[in-house]
Amino acid sequence: MNSQNPILASQRVVQVCLFLIAAICLFGGSLQMVLGQPDTSPRLDNIHRFLAGVYFSTGVINLWAAITIRSQGTLIFLLALGVLLAGVGRLVSMSQVGLPTPSALWLAYVTSELVLPVVIVLAHLATGRQARLAASALSTR
């Protein structure tokens, strides 16, 4: 899609979602890298900080995708899948070891991780539909 054209509403929805995810990942990844996993074994702290780096880098990728939203395709679906799988991971954890406290906070996390990917995918599909309609309109002229 040409950068001269105004951004579509569906692209803006995806962009806002990606900026939100980027902020969460950048903040959370940084925080977890610094805090580590206190009161645990060196092995678990090592894994925790490794995953904090992955979390942070996912924020960078989401930020880049949001900034370059006009040129993104499949990457948006893959990022949405990553967030959905993170939410599924939380659900598995909650079913295996229980709901952390404060429960409202953790339920808000998992809800957003299950809802945001759906919003992203639907909006990104709408962008693709609009682009195809615009291309077919140009080709019939």
Side-chain angles (χ1 to χ4, degrees):
M1 189 160 271
N2 187 340
S3 63
Q4 301 286 338
N5 295 333
I7 192 164
L8 300 170
S10 57
Q11 286 177 311
R12 185 67 74 198
V13 168
V14 173
Q15 188 179 49
V16 168
C17 290
L18 293 176
F19 278 133
L20 177 62
I21 293 166
I24 291 167
C25 292
L26 292 170
F27 176 75
S30 299
L31 182 66
Q32 294 307 314
M33 184 67 77
V34 171
L35 295 178
Q37 180 61 39
D39 304 321
T40 192
S41 69
R43 178 181 165 272
L44 290 179
D45 182 74
N46 185 282
I47 292 169
H48 188 91
R49 291 178 200 258
F50 169 81
L51 291 174
V54 172
Y55 193 26
F56 183 88
S57 66
T58 301
V60 173
I61 296 166
N62 275 274
L63 179 63
W64 177 78
I67 291 168
T68 60
I69 190 67
R70 293 173 195 269
S71 61
Q72 297 306 324
T74 304
L75 177 61
I76 301 302
F77 295 118
L78 294 172
L79 291 171
L81 177 63
V83 174
L84 179 67
L85 291 175
V88 169
R90 278 198 207 276
L91 286 176
V92 170
S93 174
M94 290 172 182
S95 72
Q96 296 294 313
V97 296
L99 183 61
T101 57
S103 58
L105 176 66
W106 295 96
L107 290 172
Y109 287 160
V110 75
T111 300
S112 67
E113 291 160 351
L114 298 174
V115 171
L116 272 177
V118 173
V119 171
I120 290 169
V121 166
L122 291 176
H124 198 54
L125 287 172
T127 298
R129 260 191 314 276
Q130 290 171 326
R132 284 189 300 280
L133 287 173
S136 68
L138 287 175
S139 67
T140 58
R141 287 185 186 179

